[in-house]
């Protein structure tokens, strides 16, 4: 029997589950500007994936790279979820959230006129 696919699938599932709270915490503490760190992580692990000779090592670092890249999109969506009130705002960044909400209101006024 060949369990390689199930093993990689399980590791992928675990990595995705690991990145969900990482994105939430990064948005909470650093805001959407943390996307740069996810980009760097994705590029680093993409490079490692190409270099590694071991099949499992290459696959895992490739999946990890994709998790980093996907988190770039998620960090921006997490900010929207925070603005909707689905996740808590960082009280130390209240002015930041207020500024964004005011910008959104101004853009909404332009479209309704």
């Amino acid at each position: 029997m060949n369990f390689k696919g199930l093993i990689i699938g399980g590791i992928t599932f675990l990595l995705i589950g690991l990145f969900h709270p990482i994105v939430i915490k990064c948005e909470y503490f650093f805001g959407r500007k943390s996307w740069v760190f996810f980009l760097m992580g994705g590029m680093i692990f993409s490079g490692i994936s190409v270099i590694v000779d071991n099949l499992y090592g290459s696959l895992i670092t490739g999946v990890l790279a994709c998790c980093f890249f996907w988190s770039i999109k998620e960090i921006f969506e997490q900010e929207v979820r925070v603005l909707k009130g689905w996740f808590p705002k960082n009280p130390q960044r209240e002015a930041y959230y207020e500024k964004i909400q005011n910008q959104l209101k101004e853009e909404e006024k332009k479209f309704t006129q």
Side-chain angles (χ1 to χ4, degrees):
M1 282 200 254
N2 188 350
F3 290 101
K4 290 178 185 174
L6 286 176
I7 291 169
I8 295 300
I11 291 170
T12 302
F13 183 73
L14 291 173
L15 286 173
I16 291 169
L18 177 70
F19 270 79
H20 180 69
I22 290 172
V23 167
I24 292 169
K25 293 294 182 187
C26 283
E27 194 289 323
Y28 185 84
F29 289 110
F30 307 112
R32 65 180 165 189
K33 63 185 173 187
S34 61
W35 75 269
V36 175
F37 298 111
F38 290 112
L39 176 64
M40 289 189 305
M43 291 183 344
I44 289 168
F45 281 102
S46 291
I48 292 171
S49 176
V50 173
I51 295 169
V52 172
D53 286 334
N54 182 311
L55 174 67
Y56 285 109
S58 180
L59 287 170
I60 291 168
T61 53
V63 169
L64 192 55
C66 290
C67 286
F68 272 102
F69 288 135
W70 185 264
S71 295
I72 295 170
K73 172 188 165 295
E74 284 298 316
I75 201 78
F76 289 98
E77 290 183 2
Q78 179 64 20
E79 183 179 72
V80 172
R81 292 188 284 261
V82 169
L83 292 171
K84 288 181 178 180
W86 297 353
F87 286 85
K89 294 179 184 177
N90 184 341
Q92 296 175 341
R93 296 177 51 237
E94 188 64 41
Y96 170 78
Y97 292 120
E98 190 173 309
K99 177 183 169 186
I100 296 229
Q101 285 177 325
N102 288 337
Q103 288 174 347
L104 291 173
K105 287 178 185 176
E106 289 297 319
E107 288 179 19
E108 189 176 302
K109 285 181 184 177
K110 290 178 187 177
F111 289 111
T112 57
Q113 292 179 353

